[in-house]
Amino acid sequence: MSAEIARRDFLKAAAAGAAGIAAASVFGGASAFAEDQVKAFEGKKKFAGIGSIREVTDDILYVGASDRRIQLFENVYPIPRGVAYNSYVLLDEKTVLFDTVDRSVTGQFFENLTAVLDGRELDYLVVDHMEPDHSSAISEVLVRWPNATVVCTKAAALILNQFFACDISDRSILVDEGDTLNVGRHTLTFVMAPMVHWPEVMMTYDDVSGALFCADAFGSFGALNGNLFADEVDFEKDWLPDARRYYCNIVGKYGPQVQDVLLKAASVDIKILCPTHGPVWRKNLGWILEKYSLWSSYTPEEKAVMVVYGSVYGGTESAANALAAQISQKGIADVAVYDVSKTHVSELIAEAFRCSHIVLASITYNMGVFTPMKNLLLDLEAHNLQNRSFSLLENGSWSPAAGKQMQSILDRLSGTSYTGRIVTILSSPSSEDYKALATMAEAIVASIQAGPINAPEKAETEVKRWVCKLCGYVYEGDEVPAEYKCPICGAGPDKFELE
Ligand code: FEO
């Protein structure tokens, strides 16, 4: 139903020559391409060296920019390495801009874009994602290039108007799954990716280059330092921690939706991944796809142990250190200890996605779990972490209670298992406590050495997904409640169908 609506809009827009574009050129019309290609290639030489422009291919150019001044991404996540807001231009018979940038870097972005277009009209602005770090410059683009037509999902058009009072109804083409747009030599195919990690998200595939403009997927924190491609940097050493932290914290909750997109991607010949943050992938795509497969299925990346403690006067910290030393002594080198009060929770979320085994050690505070530890636990739940082995330590000088309360939250995570019994410490670890910790270390090491990394338990993670036929929003649950209204388009339950 929604595909029919979108395709009808698509045809209507084309027939009407939306924003002055001839319908014949929109839908696969033959073009004098060779001449335009030559023009595009010559144009490229003119803007080489301007701003942060980089060539992705002969006719696809990077026009994004990096922000190194920002302290907190989304006002939540520390990003000491800054962040890049990626945007791309395709120069064909028609010109196409893929997404814009955050308002903080619009100066560089417009310098890049103007240079790349080199006096040509901008014909299309493809909006793959409407979050303002990519959409803040849309209004200005539409003012600067008044003949540009926006290509986006229906949900994106609604959200664009919500954020920026930008009504594009008379200059847009609304697309749905599998719709295509021919711009000369290239044909673009639109792939819906709802809730990766917003409802309006889509990806755009270019048939000539094999580039997938993939919105936030495969993105990373970190400013680009001249290098654009993942193969131009030591990605595993210098970028993977930020790529993992980006994925787990921004997209991690939406593993099933990412799995859906990976399934679609498997049937397409993707040669380049063009995300909206971080390096572009043109080599070794299987490596990053494998990471996404692990992260989105909540499969631990490594057989490793993270020990997180919340300590006030040092007793719990001593216990955590002793446990980590015992684990290492017994042969597991990949063990890391974190102070929950000193480590940003986004780092801990990323480590939790990486490690197979997690030890949580908390003092008892106000008869409950230490506040920063409780925050971590709730954040793990919010990010849908699954299939992990937990071991628990509690401390209390008169009435230890943190252990069971931590367990009650962890029990809500799918696929949780426990290694060892809760170790209880009274103020400072005694010799008996150290023995109990040694026993816990043995159990953790045995668990790691026993078998494969936890596999996702499909039966427990499968959730019914109801798709709004009007805007593509996905509701997860056994059934859509009678009084439910789609948060994007306001549709009632009768407009949702089981995926
Ligand atoms: Fe980079 Fe979801 O925005």
Side-chain angles (χ1 to χ4, degrees):
M1 176 76 172
S2 59
E4 288 168 14
I5 289 169
R7 196 169 294 277
R8 222 172 24 245
D9 287 346
F10 205 152
L11 290 165
K12 196 168 84 183
I21 304 298
S25 67
V26 174
F27 287 98
S31 62
F33 173 73
E35 192 180 321
D36 287 316
Q37 272 295 89
V38 171
K39 185 179 171 191
F41 189 73
E42 288 175 348
K44 188 181 69 178
K45 290 177 185 166
K46 289 181 193 167
F47 54 69
I50 292 175
S52 49
I53 297 168
R54 286 285 312 263
E55 297 165 21
V56 179
T57 68
D58 275 356
D59 50 12
I60 297 175
L61 296 124
Y62 176 87
V63 293
S66 290
D67 182 358
R68 295 179 183 81
R69 297 185 183 186
I70 184 173
Q71 298 293 316
L72 296 175
F73 186 78
E74 294 187 356
N75 210 17
V76 179
Y77 307 107
I79 45 171
R81 297 174 60 241
V83 66
Y85 304 104
N86 298 347
S87 173
Y88 308 87
V89 167
L90 168 62
L91 298 173
D92 199 341
E93 180 184 333
K94 300 294 181 184
T95 59
V96 186
L97 174 64
F98 298 93
D99 291 306
T100 69
V101 294
D102 186 77
R103 71 180 66 183
S104 60
V105 296
T106 50
Q108 184 61 75
F109 166 71
F110 279 113
E111 182 186 5
N112 293 345
L113 180 55
T114 303
V116 164
L117 290 174
D118 194 26
R120 292 185 66 184
E121 280 289 327
L122 176 64
D123 296 303
Y124 296 110
L125 165 55
V126 172
V127 178
D128 284 320
H129 183 22
M130 254 310 300
E131 193 159 9
D133 56 332
H134 310 293
S135 62
S136 293
I138 288 177
S139 299
E140 188 171 342
V141 166
L142 297 182
V143 169
R144 288 183 183 230
W145 287 278
N147 293 324
T149 296
V150 178
V151 182
C152 65
T153 60
K154 185 173 182 178
L158 286 167
I159 295 174
L160 178 61
N161 207 18
Q162 284 175 195
F163 266 111
F164 303 109
C166 183
D167 182 357
I168 54 169
S169 51
D170 64 344
R171 55 186 305 186
S172 58
I173 296 173
L174 303 181
V175 292
D176 206 336
E177 184 74 41
D179 286 344
T180 59
L181 175 65
N182 180 270
V183 294
R185 190 168 67 111
H186 298 248
T187 296
L188 306 174
T189 303
F190 304 102
V191 180
M192 300 299 110
M195 297 316 299
V196 179
H197 58 130
W198 276 31
E200 85 300 347
V201 175
M202 69 175 187
M203 300 181 184
T204 305
Y205 178 72
D206 169 36
D207 65 337
V208 171
S209 63
L212 182 69
F213 299 92
C214 49
D216 280 341
F218 309 107
S220 177
F221 295 134
L224 292 171
N225 300 306
N227 299 311
L228 175 63
F229 297 99
D231 57 87
E232 294 177 322
V233 297
D234 188 339
F235 192 91
E236 187 160 7
K237 172 174 166 284
D238 297 328
W239 283 84
L240 178 58
D242 263 341
R244 183 190 298 113
R245 190 163 65 94
Y246 176 83
Y247 171 84
C248 299
N249 286 278
I250 307 295
V251 191
K253 177 181 171 59
Y254 303 102
Q257 290 87 345
V258 174
Q259 290 269 301
D260 285 351
V261 169
L262 291 175
L263 208 59
K264 291 182 194 178
S267 63
V268 181
D269 184 18
I270 299 170
K271 296 192 174 75
I272 307 172
L273 289 168
C274 296
T276 45
H277 301 285
V280 169
W281 289 85
R282 63 182 173 183
K283 292 181 183 172
N284 206 11
L285 270 59
W287 185 85
I288 190 69
L289 285 164
E290 171 64 15
K291 293 291 181 199
Y292 263 64
S293 176
L294 292 173
W295 296 336
S296 61
S297 61
Y298 305 102
T299 304
E301 207 177 327
E302 311 277 358
K303 286 185 170 185
V305 186
M306 71 179 288
V307 180
V308 188
Y309 67 83
S311 185
V312 171
Y313 296 111
T316 311
E317 181 180 4
S318 288
N321 282 327
L323 180 68
Q326 290 275 355
I327 291 169
S328 181
Q329 180 74 36
K330 294 176 194 307
I332 303 299
D334 197 343
V335 54
V337 180
Y338 299 93
D339 182 338
V340 75
S341 300
K342 295 287 295 290
T343 312
H344 194 270
V345 69
S346 65
E347 302 276 0
L348 299 174
I349 293 290
E351 268 295 80
F353 271 70
R354 185 182 73 85
C355 296
S356 58
H357 288 68
I358 300 170
V359 179
L360 302 177
S362 176
I363 59 162
T364 300
Y365 202 72
N366 290 328
M367 301 302 292
V369 180
F370 190 40
T371 311
M373 182 65 78
K374 188 168 184 181
N375 181 47
L376 168 62
L377 285 160
L378 295 177
D379 223 21
L380 290 172
E381 183 184 25
H383 287 87
N384 207 14
L385 184 75
Q386 302 173 22
N387 309 317
R388 292 304 187 275
S389 170
F390 290 93
S391 302
L392 301 176
L393 276 70
E394 65 179 358
N395 194 349
S397 292
W398 60 93
S399 183
K404 283 197 172 149
Q405 293 190 32
M406 288 194 286
Q407 188 170 345
S408 72
I409 297 173
L410 295 172
D411 284 345
R412 302 200 293 254
L413 310 185
S414 181
T416 287
S417 61
Y418 296 96
T419 303
R421 302 172 66 171
I422 296 174
V423 172
T424 300
I425 293 158
L426 299 175
S427 303
S428 297
S430 64
S431 56
E432 287 305 308
D433 294 335
Y434 283 123
K435 285 181 194 163
L437 290 168
T439 302
M440 177 180 273
E442 273 171 24
I444 292 170
V445 170
S447 169
I448 289 174
Q449 291 173 340
I453 292 176
N454 283 350
E457 296 177 17
K458 274 281 177 204
E460 290 194 52
T461 59
E462 273 176 9
V463 176
K464 283 187 184 168
R465 303 178 69 228
W466 303 82
V467 183
C468 175
K469 292 184 281 183
L470 300 185
C471 71
Y473 180 78
V474 176
Y475 175 87
E476 291 186 347
D478 285 341
E479 59 183 41
V480 183
E483 69 285 0
Y484 187 76
K485 289 211 181 317
C486 174
I488 299 303
C489 68
D494 59 313
K495 295 289 188 287
F496 282 75
E497 60 185 21
L498 193 58
E499 191 175 66

